[in-house]
Amino acid sequence: MTKHTGLQNWVEEMRGLCSPDKVVWIDGSAEEKKRLEEDAVASGEVLRLDEEKLPGCLFHRTKGNDVARTEHLTYICSPEKDDAGPTNNWLPPEEGYRKASEILKDSMKGRTMFVIPFSMGPVDSAFSKIGVEITDSLYVVLNMLIMTRTGSRVLAKLGTEGGFTKCMHGKAGLDENKRLILHFPEDNAIWSVGSGYGGNALLGKKCLSLRIASALARKEGWLAEHMLILGLEHKDGHIEYVAASFPSACGKTNLAMLIPPEVMKAKGYRVWTVGDDIAWLRVGADGRLWAVNPEAGFFGVAPGTNSKTNPNAMATVKKNTIFTNVVLADDHTVWWEGGDGEPPASGLDWQGKPWKPGTKDAQGKTIAGAHPNSRFTAPASQCPCLSPKWEEPQGVPISAIIFGGRRARLAPLVYQSTSWEHGVYVGATMASERTAAQVGSQGEVRRDPMAMLPFCGYHMADYFAHWLAMGKKAAKPPKIFHVNWFRTDEKGKFLWPGYGDNARVLEWILQRCRGEGKAVQTPIGHVPTPDALDLAGLDLPADALGKLLEVRADEWRAEAADHKVFFDSLGPKLPAELRRQNEELVRRLS
Ligand code: GTP
Ligand code: SPV
Ligand code: MN
């Protein structure tokens, strides 16, 4: 398969460690995909869904203890603890390798070890990064075939000397007591054992494209971010691009694929998707930031996705899609909470137990059929609104960066920062309620700077310094905004309709980038005046807009104090500029 001796030697070494019966190199061909799917069906790892209603679609259930990323088992194994910083778990590299090796030892006996060469980014782009994932999971192989560019063309590009990220994955019994997701930035290596779940096991995604890439990006002078990329087309056909970073399960896929409401469509607006989860950003020759989506597919949250909230996603998952941990109906179709149509009269829930609508647990609580973090894996090429520029090697130019979180209170619908430095402060102090995308207590508000808390591969204070430096490096940096689609009223009901109506906010954001759009200056930044957003055709309750745009000084004073507590927790490396921004904010609020 390859004449790359470094790669051959590494694969041999891993074969020696894991003792599989055989080694299979993935070539990325259509025949191979078909064969692998048949093997996965035969072994029971996946099930084929109804060929008429869901052609080419597969169904998979993960183990009940393996349904979301496990941040407490995720480590940055840099030589020094201080390189990983206080927000990451750390293990000395030797200890990481030793622990994972003990778990992997002979763990593939009687089974096949797959070797997947893959490219993050178009194979022929100079900015792309190559990885090779070794895994004993056919489910992982089938997902990687959708999420990344794989096979012989990648090996051809790698040649005999090319650098690549060593991505070692083993199921090792899927034992949660033997689960570790380890990153070795110095060695350009990732070792993941004991999990078969998305972000823990598809190593090109969060592990390579964010944790390893962010560390590399710092050295090379670019940014690897947890961001969607979209283009907003105007009446005259001109397209402006924005990148938005929201924490997991906070609306990236939905915003990336949004369909504007009728009044916005009538004004000529249309959204084009470039990416829904990860962006690599570089300063272009023109001084602007240019963004590339390194992925080739979408690994999206199923619950809440339906033909009203996200018609483009529903069209994307009609064929050649893998569904994980959703309801399996008796007729071999799938369903999830907040999905299309009525739930099936009977089927199996995400744990494989008989389920029908209204099933209750011992305490009388309704049991959800699909896991709240159930997912679809679908090729980007099937997305009806996929941007014609999604594979442009140099990416698309970014006019605005949008940060956002899930905040029931405090943060207004949208506000604009007053400078790059202030914008970095806004991103650095982002917070959000915990969702089902990660194991832990749901709903709890935590700081999640730039939505990168679980994904930054180095010290968070150094990361902020790198962001500040990037603003200096770019002559025409994007303007920075913050949004919150999740503010609620006293009864806990969302004040803003969200989804397609978020186009109204995008319009204002891009107006502001052009020096238009009405705003009032508040202590936290520029907030739209009540008449600045186009709300035509929206049926907002009388007092909703006021509440959505409200900036309460008392609440923000407490927030600013908490920003300081967070900054203090990052230690002496915190850039002085961010401390200054905090003091300024406190001053403006007093
Ligand atoms: P990851 O794939 O985990 O990174 O998530 P994501 O950021 O792509 O989130 P996604 O778009 O999948 O949305 C997650 C959940 O939030 C889904 O249940 C959506 O239905 C819901 N959601 C998305 N956008 C909005 C919105 O504008 N308003 C409200 N209320 N809910 C939304
Ligand atoms: C996220 O959790 O942000 C995801 C899904 O996009 S995962 O691949 O598990 O990281
Ligand atoms: Mn994500």
Side-chain angles (χ1 to χ4, degrees):
M1 278 300 286
T2 178
K3 294 204 167 67
H4 192 300
T5 43
L7 173 53
Q8 282 170 342
N9 292 344
W10 176 60
V11 171
E12 269 317 300
E13 196 189 325
M14 292 304 107
R15 180 219 287 269
L17 175 65
C18 304
S19 314
D21 273 12
K22 59 176 179 174
V23 176
V24 169
W25 289 71
I26 297 301
D27 65 22
S29 67
E31 308 80 72
E32 174 193 68
K33 180 165 188 270
K34 210 168 148 265
R35 209 167 51 237
L36 294 169
E37 286 182 1
E38 277 160 16
D39 290 351
V41 169
S43 72
E45 208 160 336
V46 302
L47 192 143
R48 204 170 270 293
L49 292 167
D50 185 273
E51 266 302 326
E52 277 192 1
K53 294 178 188 140
L54 292 165
C57 290
L58 302 172
F59 170 87
H60 173 80
R61 236 181 254 123
T62 61
K63 252 181 109 165
N65 68 21
D66 191 25
V67 292
R69 284 181 294 98
T70 41
E71 293 173 9
H72 58 297
L73 304 174
T74 302
Y75 290 81
I76 302 298
C77 303
S78 45
E80 301 296 328
K81 187 172 196 299
D82 194 53
D83 297 336
T87 58
N88 281 311
N89 299 312
W90 176 79
L91 272 179
E94 321 72 67
E95 196 178 330
Y97 285 126
R98 184 178 54 71
K99 283 191 162 167
S101 297
E102 275 168 18
I103 298 169
L104 282 169
K105 181 111 190 71
D106 298 330
S107 70
M108 297 185 189
K109 266 205 174 123
R111 287 177 308 113
T112 303
M113 181 169 112
F114 299 95
V115 182
I116 318 165
F118 65 93
S119 172
M120 297 316 295
V123 178
D124 52 8
S125 165
F127 295 143
S128 297
K129 301 285 175 204
I130 290 178
V132 179
E133 177 157 352
I134 291 179
T135 180
D136 57 346
S137 161
L138 258 177
Y139 170 73
V140 166
V141 178
L142 294 173
N143 273 274
M144 289 293 284
L145 292 179
I146 297 174
M147 295 304 295
T148 71
R149 288 113 173 142
T150 50
S152 315
R153 59 192 175 136
V154 179
L155 284 183
K157 179 169 179 202
L158 194 58
T160 56
E161 306 281 322
F164 65 97
T165 307
K166 293 174 181 157
C167 304
M168 180 63 211
H169 172 252
K171 294 200 284 192
L174 301 174
D175 179 349
E176 62 186 323
N177 298 315
K178 293 181 181 168
R179 188 170 293 161
L180 287 172
I181 323 296
L182 309 176
H183 305 75
F184 304 88
E186 297 291 309
D187 301 345
N188 196 11
I190 302 158
W191 284 42
S192 163
V193 293
S195 170
Y197 168 76
N200 286 344
L202 311 177
L203 302 187
K205 198 172 177 55
K206 296 307 188 344
C207 301
L208 191 163
S209 294
L210 290 179
R211 297 196 192 94
I212 293 290
S214 61
L216 196 66
R218 178 189 175 209
K219 283 188 206 134
E220 296 178 355
W222 50 283
L223 291 165
E225 299 298 325
H226 192 200
M227 289 178 175
L228 69 93
I229 311 164
L230 70 80
L232 186 69
E233 181 174 331
H234 299 260
K235 202 167 49 232
D236 61 0
H238 178 64
I239 302 176
E240 288 174 307
Y241 297 90
V242 307
S245 93
F246 311 152
S248 304
C250 290
K252 288 183 299 301
T253 302
N254 277 272
L255 189 68
M257 298 180 188
L258 83 71
I259 296 187
E262 289 307 322
V263 290
M264 292 278 119
K265 276 195 210 156
K267 285 160 90 174
Y269 287 116
R270 173 170 192 175
V271 165
W272 296 100
T273 309
V274 178
D276 83 325
D277 198 51
I278 297 174
W280 287 352
L281 303 117
R282 290 181 175 77
V283 179
D286 60 1
R288 292 191 291 177
L289 272 190
W290 290 69
V292 168
N293 167 19
E295 301 191 276
F298 306 124
F299 184 63
V301 177
T305 307
N306 62 54
S307 301
K308 282 215 178 75
T309 56
N310 195 344
N312 283 317
M314 291 309 292
T316 307
V317 304
K318 282 213 153 30
K319 55 182 184 185
N320 307 321
T321 296
I322 303 172
F323 295 93
T324 302
N325 293 342
V326 296
V327 173
L328 177 65
D330 291 344
D331 65 352
H332 279 201
T333 57
V334 289
W335 187 84
W336 50 81
E337 277 69 23
D340 275 343
E342 291 300 310
S346 83
L348 299 176
D349 72 4
W350 65 272
Q351 292 179 292
K353 299 197 189 111
W355 180 90
K356 54 182 195 255
T359 304
K360 298 211 166 48
D361 66 14
Q363 284 77 44
K365 237 184 88 198
T366 305
I367 298 178
H371 188 274
N373 192 39
S374 53
R375 299 253 167 184
F376 54 78
T377 318
S381 59
Q382 292 180 184
C383 179
C385 58
L386 188 66
S387 164
K389 294 206 187 277
W390 84 288
E391 297 195 281
E392 256 337 274
Q394 80 279 14
V396 294
I398 299 299
S399 300
I401 285 176
I402 308 174
F403 294 121
R406 201 179 263 270
R407 301 293 300 262
R409 304 156 55 85
L410 188 83
L413 179 63
V414 57
Y415 64 99
Q416 181 185 4
S417 66
T418 52
S419 64
W420 178 267
E421 289 74 18
H422 180 229
V424 173
Y425 177 82
V426 169
T429 55
M430 247 169 78
S432 197
E433 293 154 20
R434 199 196 286 265
T435 64
Q438 60 283 125
V439 172
S441 46
Q442 310 296 295
E444 164 195 85
V445 174
R446 64 169 188 178
R447 296 280 151 216
D448 188 351
M450 282 95 170
M452 284 289 279
L453 181 73
F455 307 120
C456 184
Y458 60 102
H459 197 301
M460 198 49 90
D462 290 331
Y463 172 71
F464 295 157
H466 181 50
W467 260 86
L468 290 167
M470 285 295 290
K472 297 230 159 47
K473 197 169 157 185
K476 292 183 211 147
K479 300 278 185 281
I480 301 180
F481 297 79
H482 186 281
V483 299
N484 177 21
W485 315 137
F486 300 95
R487 200 152 165 167
T488 56
D489 63 15
E490 307 74 38
K491 296 197 188 90
K493 205 172 153 282
F494 291 124
L495 285 163
W496 179 248
Y499 300 103
D501 286 305
N502 295 333
R504 301 170 190 271
V505 176
L506 287 181
E507 178 183 51
W508 181 80
I509 285 175
L510 288 166
Q511 284 169 348
R512 293 294 296 172
C513 292
R514 294 190 297 269
E516 303 159 13
K518 286 201 257 173
V520 282
Q521 173 114 36
T522 76
I524 64 166
H526 302 289
V527 174
T529 55
D531 60 338
L533 297 171
D534 186 345
L535 302 178
L538 251 195
D539 199 11
L540 282 186
D543 54 345
L545 188 65
K547 283 187 197 150
L548 281 164
L549 299 178
E550 183 181 42
V551 177
R552 286 185 50 173
D554 55 340
E555 288 182 354
W556 274 98
R557 274 195 288 274
E559 177 77 3
D562 198 53
H563 292 171
K564 184 170 178 300
V565 172
F566 175 60
F567 282 170
D568 288 344
S569 76
L570 296 181
K573 285 210 263 187
L574 187 89
E577 174 61 30
L578 293 185
R579 284 216 179 274
R580 201 185 65 80
Q581 288 288 340
N582 180 249
E583 286 155 15
E584 291 281 301
L585 174 62
V586 170
R587 194 183 47 72
R588 290 194 301 269
L589 286 163
S590 64

